[in-house]
Amino acid sequence: MKKIKLFLLIVLVLGIGFIIHLKSTSGEYYKTFSPDSQYSVYASQYNWENFINRFPGGGSDASGVVYLYDEIEDKIINKAHIGMLWLTPEINWTKNTAYFTGDEHPNIIKPWKLPRPILEKKIE
């Protein structure tokens, strides 16, 4: 009886670990920078997308998470789900916000707020 309980516990822990792994992300795709290079936005694909068959060249149709990254402070500021990885470079930058055009979040109605304004001249 103890062996069965131990076996079931191991299977349960492995199953939960596998599900967590599938829902996590990996890789860095389509990284793009703000006009002054203080910030970047990049996408990371969900691991479960690796198990979906796609036509050749269709890998960027995968969904994932898009991250707003502070290049100066070296940290992630915000993140959101993105329906297709190839949409990442279509980020719009204003002086104090970043957003996607269309239905993706963040959008113009609910943009990401930047901790520092974007400078007009590029930081070298």
Side-chain angles (χ1 to χ4, degrees), residues 1 9 11 18 20 25 41 48-49 54 109 116 118:
M1 187 68 167
L9 179 64
V11 169
F18 185 67
I20 290 171
T25 62
V41 173
W48 59 266
E49 289 279 0
R54 300 193 191 284
I109 296 169
R116 297 176 307 280
I118 293 178

Side-chain angles (χ1 to χ4, degrees), residues 35-53:
D36 62 358
S37 299
Q38 286 189 76
Y39 307 101
S40 64
V41 173
Y42 66 92
S44 188
Q45 176 179 307
Y46 290 120
N47 289 325
W48 59 266
E49 289 279 0
N50 293 324
F51 297 99
I52 295 175
N53 290 328

Side-chain angles (χ1 to χ4, degrees), residues 34 38-41 67-71 73 75-80 91-100 105-118:
S34 65
Q38 286 189 76
Y39 307 101
S40 64
V41 173
Y67 295 93
L68 175 61
Y69 189 78
D70 189 325
E71 294 288 334
E73 294 187 18
K75 67 178 185 178
I76 294 172
I77 301 169
N78 216 325
K79 65 181 182 177
I91 191 88
N92 295 301
W93 302 96
T94 66
K95 186 174 181 176
N96 296 306
T97 64
Y99 62 90
F100 289 102
H105 176 76
N107 54 33
I108 196 164
I109 296 169
K110 214 173 169 186
W112 280 332
K113 305 286 185 204
L114 303 175
R116 297 176 307 280
I118 293 178

